[in-house]
Amino acid sequence: MKISFIDKKLKGIYSKVLKNSRLCKEDGIYIYETRDLIGLGQIANTVRRKRHGNKAFYIYNQHLNYTNVCKNRCEFCAYAKDEGDFGAYAWSIEEIKKRLLERIDEPVNELHIVGGLNEDLSFEYFIDLLKTVKKVRPKATIKAFTCVEIDYLSNLAGLTIEKTIQQLKEAGLEMMPGGGAEVLNSRIHETLFPKKIDHNRWLKIVKAVHKAGIKTNATMLYGHIETIEERVDHLITLRDLQDETCGFSAFIPLAFHSENTQLSHLPPTTAIDDLKNIAAARLMLDNFDHIKAYWVMIGEKLAQVALSFGADDLDGTIIEERITHTAGATSAKGLTKIQMEKMIIQAGFAPVERDSFYNAINAPINT
Ligand code: V47
Ligand code: SF4
C-alpha cells in the first residue's frame, strides 16, 4: 500500500517493514520521535493486518487479586498495602471459591490471578489456590503469577525456580501474565522498585518458565521516569529473548496511572504516547504474534483507535480490575461480551472471542 508520509523519514522504516527487515534501535527511537502519528499508525496497521487481517481478539476472563499486602512497595504502585493498614486484605481459599461461584454461570475462559508478596501466605496456600480454582472451573485456563511471585514462591518453598514452576504446573498453572518487568533497566529498578527482583532475575525466571513449556506475556510500564531509549532497549531485550525461547504470547504496553502513588506529581500519559507505544511494540516486536491494547489503562475509546495502530487484542471482559483503578483509572471495572464486541465492530474490525492460547471460541453472544 502506498502511504503519503508527512514525515519523509518514516519512508525508510516503511520500506524495511515491507521487506520484513528487522528494525534497529535508531528506528525504534525514531518511532517515538516522529510527529507524523498517522503515517506511523499506517505502517503499524500494515503489519497488524498482514498478521491478523480484520480480526480483533478478546477473551471472557475474570481477575482474582488474592491479596494487596505486599512487602515490595514499589513507588508506582497504589494497590499495595502493609499488613494492618486500612483496606489491607488476603482472601482465604474459601473466599476465592465464593468469588468463582458468584460467576459460575458466566462463560469465563481464563482466570487471571496475581497478588502482592504477602508474608502471611504459605507455599501450600498457592498450591491449594490453584487446585481449588481448577476444581471449581475445570475448563478455564489458569493464567497466574508474575515472575516476581515465582521468585518469591521459590524462596518461600526453599525450592529451585525449576522445581517451583513444576509444582505450580502440577497444581494447575497453565500460563503466566506479563507483569513485573516494568522497564528492564537497572537505573529505573534502583529508583522505583529497588525491593523487587531486577531485570536480570526477571529474564532468568521467564526463560525457565518458557523452558518448562509455559507461555507468558510481557509488558512495559511507561509514562513515569523512563527515557525513550530505555523503552526501546526494553523492547529489543524482549525481542532477543523471544528469538531464543519463542515463549511470549502477547506484549502489553501499560500506561502509568499516578494517583495514590508516590509519583502522584506525574501527569497521565497522552493519547499520542499511548498510540506510539502500541505502534512501537507492533513494529519492533516482529517475533511477537499479539499486541494488546489494555482498555483498562488507556480507556475504551482509545483502545478502539489502537486497533488501527498495531493492536490486535483488547484483553478481556475482566470485571473487578483493582490494580489500575486504585491508581485512578476511570475506565469501566469490567465489560460485557456485547460491549466488547460492539467496541470492536464500531472500530471497523471483526471480533473473535478467544481462549488463552488464541484459539477462536464460537460462543453465542448471550451475556
Ligand atoms: O506489573 C502497577 C502495573 C502490572 C500501576 O499479561 C501499574 O495479559 C499502571 O501485568 N499504573 C500488573 N500500571 C498488570 C499486568 C497485566 C495486565 C493485563 C493483562 C496482562 C497480561 C498483564 O500493572 C504490574 C505493573 O507493571 N502497574 N501499578 C499503576 N499505578
Ligand atoms: Fe507489590 Fe506488585 Fe505493587 Fe510492586 S507492583 S508493590 S510487587 S503489588
Side-chain angles (χ1 to χ4, degrees):
M1 191 182 81
K2 187 153 169 37
I3 302 174
S4 12
F5 292 107
I6 294 170
D7 177 355
K8 303 293 175 220
K9 251 180 108 177
L10 284 178
K11 273 187 184 173
I13 292 180
Y14 189 43
S15 90
K16 275 192 181 180
V17 163
L18 290 178
K19 282 188 272 181
N20 292 326
S21 304
R22 183 158 269 193
L23 300 186
C24 64
K25 180 168 172 174
E26 287 65 38
D27 296 326
I29 290 174
Y30 200 70
I31 286 172
Y32 284 107
E33 281 175 351
T34 184
R35 300 185 72 169
D36 184 359
L37 182 71
I38 300 300
L40 175 65
Q42 284 180 283
I43 307 177
N45 195 30
T46 305
V47 177
R48 180 248 186 265
R49 286 190 180 268
K50 206 162 147 189
R51 274 184 181 267
H52 302 293
N54 210 34
K55 291 179 189 164
F57 298 95
Y58 76 97
I59 190 163
Y60 204 117
N61 62 351
Q62 179 176 6
H63 276 207
L64 293 168
N65 299 128
Y66 56 88
T67 183
N68 63 353
V69 174
C70 185
K71 70 186 182 86
N72 276 352
R73 302 310 302 264
C74 307
E75 287 202 8
F76 56 79
C77 181
Y79 172 70
K81 303 240 182 241
D82 287 331
E83 179 67 51
D85 278 357
F86 178 75
Y89 72 89
W91 291 342
S92 65
I93 300 295
E94 271 315 300
E95 176 73 21
I96 289 168
K97 204 169 160 182
K98 192 181 126 233
R99 285 174 187 265
L100 289 169
L101 289 172
E102 273 167 9
R103 298 185 57 200
I104 204 69
D105 293 333
E106 295 178 45
V108 171
N109 275 305
E110 179 183 271
L111 296 151
H112 180 139
I113 308 171
V114 287
L117 307 187
N118 181 337
E119 289 168 312
D120 281 348
L121 304 174
S122 66
F123 187 63
E124 288 66 40
Y125 168 89
F126 292 89
I127 298 291
D128 205 7
L129 182 157
L130 292 170
K131 285 186 174 166
T132 304
V133 172
K134 203 71 215 161
K135 205 166 163 188
V136 178
R137 273 274 187 201
K139 288 192 188 140
T141 302
I142 301 184
K143 181 177 86 178
F145 313 137
T146 64
C147 292
V148 179
E149 286 158 290
I150 298 293
D151 174 75
Y152 179 72
L153 291 179
S154 100
N155 289 329
L156 191 65
L159 295 171
T160 61
I161 290 295
E162 287 74 14
K163 287 207 171 118
T164 307
I165 297 165
Q166 199 50 41
Q167 295 218 2
L168 296 172
K169 202 176 163 183
E170 280 164 21
L173 180 70
E174 292 162 284
M175 201 193 158
M176 278 173 50
E182 320 314 353
V183 186
L184 296 161
N185 174 283
S186 45
R187 178 187 77 87
I188 299 174
H189 174 253
E190 276 155 33
T191 316
L192 295 189
F193 49 99
K195 289 195 190 158
K196 187 140 98 180
I197 57 169
D198 69 4
H199 64 283
N200 290 321
R201 184 84 178 141
W202 190 89
L203 290 166
K204 194 171 174 222
I205 294 172
V206 93
K207 247 191 218 186
V209 172
H210 291 172
K211 202 169 165 208
I214 293 185
K215 290 261 184 196
T216 73
N217 290 333
T219 59
M220 175 173 73
L221 180 67
Y222 67 91
H224 43 89
I225 62 160
E226 84 290 357
T227 64
I228 298 301
E229 188 179 359
E230 286 162 346
R231 289 181 188 178
V232 176
D233 286 340
H234 178 96
L235 295 175
I236 292 176
T237 304
L238 292 175
R239 185 172 76 183
D240 289 346
L241 185 57
Q242 178 75 329
D243 277 344
E244 211 180 312
T245 67
C246 280
F248 289 117
S249 178
F251 175 78
I252 311 126
L254 300 174
F256 177 54
H257 286 61
S258 69
E259 216 175 291
N260 302 321
T261 74
Q262 291 174 61
L263 303 169
S264 57
H265 55 284
L266 292 179
T269 60
T270 64
I272 308 298
D273 203 22
D274 294 336
L275 293 175
K276 279 188 173 175
N277 272 287
I278 296 278
R282 183 57 288 161
L283 294 173
M284 294 303 290
L285 299 176
D286 52 22
N287 51 5
F288 275 61
D289 278 340
H290 302 284
I291 306 297
K292 267 191 208 183
Y294 190 38
W295 61 265
V296 171
M297 290 196 184
I298 60 172
E300 296 90 317
K301 291 181 182 177
L302 197 62
Q304 284 181 300
V305 181
L307 290 175
S308 293
F309 276 76
D312 61 278
D313 187 356
L314 289 188
D315 195 77
T317 50
I318 300 176
I319 311 287
E320 267 213 276
E321 199 284 336
R322 287 162 183 262
I323 298 172
T324 330
H325 283 90
T326 339
T330 53
S331 53
K333 290 208 168 164
L335 293 173
T336 65
K337 203 168 134 144
I338 286 180
Q339 285 171 318
M340 294 281 328
E341 299 219 344
K342 256 196 192 158
M343 262 169 78
I344 292 171
I345 292 166
Q346 282 171 354
F349 292 86
V352 178
E353 187 184 354
R354 63 168 177 90
D355 67 12
S356 303
F357 307 102
Y358 288 87
N359 301 303
I361 290 168
N362 299 311
I365 300 178
N366 55 8
T367 31

